[in-house]
Amino acid sequence: MDQHGRHNEEPQDGQDQVVEPGGIVVGVDGSEHGRCALVWAAREAERRQLPLHIVTAYSVPIFAASGLDGGYATVDDSVIREGADAIVRQALDKVSGYAIDVDASVENGDAAGVLLDLSEEAALLVFGSRGRGGFVGRLLGSVSSALPAHAKCPTVTVPLYCADRLGENTEDKHIKAEHAKRGPRKVENVVAVGVDGSEQARVAVLEAAEEAQRMGAKLRVICAVPQYSGSLAWVPAPLDRDALFADITVQLDAGVAWLRSHFPSLAIETDLRDGSPVDVLVETSRSVELVVLGTRGRGGFAGMLLGSTSDGVLHHAKGPVLVVPDREDPRLADRQKFGPMLGAV
């Protein structure tokens, strides 16, 4: 261990690797997306003073042969394994300057399944929005939203769009063109959280407040009210939007009073918007440090693991997005003492 209290461990075989409970797990695959996720995860591990576990996963492809002597052929496992080892060694080198304990492992298996297993013991799971196809590319691609929806711990998705704020470069021509068009942007020291009156959103608010406190950031509580539709069962009809916004303001203020009782030193503000929650939160993600969401809210069915708002924001966000799974929190018990609750019926 060096003078910073940090040590790096070479990649280990996944069969013997155990993630330290409460550590941060980050998935890497050698892509630009993976590198952005790695940098964000290392910074977060340093903020929280938690160990960082770097993991990559691979599976050996099997090809069906054609013809009368048809059968199956496999690719040499050692070649793929060498490539995976190289990826985690590069990742270890990249985070060598952070004052954190770091280890790494190469896992054999489906990438999403590997990370879901690791989420059982992790404090946080971090990954890029997509990658090379064999690893992170599947996480929000063909296995859409698998990790935020099913992980046992909070997850952070880091899009390539925010590479510049992490000190990383990208060769993605679409992102470079958009950055050139918009020009330099300022990222506020703000953690934004979306609320809709659901219990999941209140859990997300508590997680967002903890994260804002760690970052020394302001907490912005955002409620976006779309045009009335049948899906908004909690909105009274006939709809008087002025009266509705006045009621929501009272409820948001009560929520802030509750939050301040648990986080007295935290700077908190509210932002009530007229518009689509997905559009508002995606636009917000451009200029804040982090957007926080629950897995689902009032727009989702009881059996859904990821609501339409969370799913939409994840796929279009321009900055890191933290999704908080459903869980019990004793601090929710005293919310009603502080006044009317958003969406209460």
Side-chain angles (χ1 to χ4, degrees), residues 33 127-130 136-149 157-161 278 281-282 285 293 306-321 323:
H33 294 77
F127 43 88
S129 55
R130 66 179 190 275
V136 183
R138 295 197 55 203
L139 301 185
L140 289 175
S142 58
V143 186
S144 179
S145 306
L147 295 183
T157 306
V158 184
L160 184 58
Y161 187 91
V278 172
L281 291 169
V282 167
S285 72
L293 303 167
L306 201 67
S308 58
T309 296
S310 300
D311 196 48
V313 174
L314 280 171
H315 284 83
H316 300 286
K318 306 302 182 182
V321 178
V323 175

